[in-house]
Amino acid sequence: MVVTSSPGKVMSGTLYVVATPIGNLQDMSPRALDVLRTVALIAAEDTRHSARLLQHFGVSTPTTACHDHNERDKSVRLVERMLAGEDMALISDAGTPLISDPGYHLVRQAREAGVRVCPIPGACALIAALSAAGLPSDRFAFEGFLPAKAHGRRQRLQGLATEPRTWMLYEAPHRLLECLEDMLDIFGPERQVVLARELTKTFETIKGAPIAELVEWVRADSDQQRGECVLIVEAMPAPEESEGLNPEAQRVLDILLSELPVKQAAALAAQITGEKKNRLYQVALGKG
């Protein structure tokens, strides 16, 4: 329905950003269904995938593809239609659009054109995982997907080694074990990590443990390398005051850090000085 503010002047439509279930279909909200049934068009990441969901709920609204490869160009035409008065909905394959999914360009162009953008909240894998992880959640960071190649992934993890907040990422199942092994190598064995897998689905699994233990658990059970994965990582523990170190241990660590990576420097300093390796490692991380 087109609403006019005065004779001859058409008000623009609304873009609804609609969250859909990440697994359990009962997580679809009545408000989301009402919006999807009444808008003129649904912009979907994959129309074939979304067709099954819409058919299940008896939604017959037309759909159009809006994904990474066509979003910039497609958004121009969609915004033009909303400026002419049509309401539209944006959905992704699962969960909340734009969270490591397409939609940013459409939302930005709509806002820049003066189109009202209205979120219809619902399921989101990262928030669901964080709520059940048992790690501090008053402050947290989301990293999306890490680079697929090992070198880029390890570089990003090195940059996150001293993150002072709980942080989270999505990981593809076929790269899960490699990612955890890189974390073990870079963060050491004691950092707590929670794996949340297949959330809201039949084989939902939420497992938290020190990295070394989690690596062995995933390595021993190939079923844990299936489905959608969220990793929630403990913030870097506050290092013990370096002044409490034996002065000689501090001197040795500083010398080794000038020539060696953090993990290797801490391990060698522990052998030389007798200090605990984990303590030296945390002090070394604190030095950047």
Side-chain angles (χ1 to χ4, degrees):
M1 177 180 178
V2 176
V3 180
T4 60
S5 56
S6 60
K9 183 178 180 180
V10 178
M11 291 183 63
S12 67
T14 297
L15 174 61
Y16 295 96
V17 183
V18 182
T20 57
I22 57 176
N24 192 319
L25 294 178
Q26 293 184 61
D27 291 336
M28 177 69 93
S29 74
R31 185 184 179 204
L33 286 174
D34 184 57
V35 167
L36 294 177
R37 287 171 177 147
T38 56
V39 294
L41 184 69
I42 299 171
E45 181 179 359
D46 183 334
T47 55
R48 292 169 300 178
H49 177 91
S50 295
R52 296 190 291 273
L53 175 74
L54 299 175
Q55 183 178 22
H56 175 84
F57 287 107
V59 176
S60 57
T61 305
T63 61
T64 187
C66 186
H67 47 68
D68 286 332
H69 303 294
N70 74 348
E71 185 186 353
R72 289 177 185 267
D73 294 333
K74 192 67 165 285
S75 295
V76 174
R77 299 192 293 275
L78 296 180
V79 169
E80 287 176 351
R81 291 180 60 172
M82 285 185 281
L83 287 173
E86 290 187 333
D87 291 336
M88 294 188 183
L90 170 68
I91 62 174
S92 62
D93 286 348
T96 301
L98 280 77
I99 309 301
S100 287
D101 277 329
Y104 162 72
H105 296 290
L106 176 57
V107 169
R108 179 165 182 168
Q109 288 185 37
R111 289 181 58 83
E112 288 176 347
V115 173
R116 174 177 175 243
V117 178
C118 178
I120 309 297
C124 179
L126 77 94
I127 298 301
L130 181 63
S131 71
L135 292 175
S137 56
D138 53 333
R139 299 170 64 237
F140 63 92
F142 176 55
E143 285 294 314
F145 285 93
L146 297 182
K149 294 185 178 179
H151 177 72
R153 181 175 62 242
R154 289 179 63 85
Q155 277 194 322
R156 183 84 68 83
L157 289 173
Q158 290 281 3
L160 291 163
T162 57
E163 170 59 54
R165 300 165 293 181
T166 298
W167 57 274
M168 311 169 64
L169 59 91
Y170 291 158
E171 188 54 278
H174 63 279
R175 291 195 296 266
L176 175 64
L177 183 57
E178 292 179 6
C179 181
L180 288 171
E181 288 172 340
D182 285 343
M183 287 184 181
L184 175 61
D185 186 49
I186 292 167
F187 302 155
E190 300 300 324
R191 188 81 66 94
Q192 288 286 322
V193 176
V194 176
L195 168 62
R197 189 181 65 84
E198 291 289 82
L199 290 173
T200 80
K201 301 182 180 74
T202 302
F203 297 104
E204 176 180 276
T205 303
I206 302 175
K207 169 77 171 179
I211 296 177
E213 180 182 329
L214 193 61
V215 165
E216 290 305 315
W217 184 73
V218 171
R219 186 182 287 148
D221 184 358
S222 61
D223 285 341
Q224 303 309 323
Q225 300 173 51
R226 301 175 186 271
E228 302 296 324
C229 302
V230 185
L231 291 172
I232 309 98
V233 184
E234 179 186 30
M236 186 187 81
E240 299 179 47
E241 291 296 325
S242 59
E243 289 79 4
L245 283 179
N246 180 300
E248 178 63 12
Q250 183 68 64
R251 187 183 73 84
V252 169
L253 181 61
D254 288 341
I255 292 171
L256 293 172
L257 283 172
S258 68
E259 300 292 337
L260 299 172
V262 168
K263 182 180 178 182
Q264 191 175 352
L268 192 53
Q271 292 179 23
I272 294 171
T273 66
E275 284 280 357
K276 291 183 178 179
K277 181 172 68 174
N278 285 346
R279 185 182 183 195
L280 288 166
Y281 184 76
Q282 296 302 326
V283 171
L285 282 179
K287 291 175 175 289

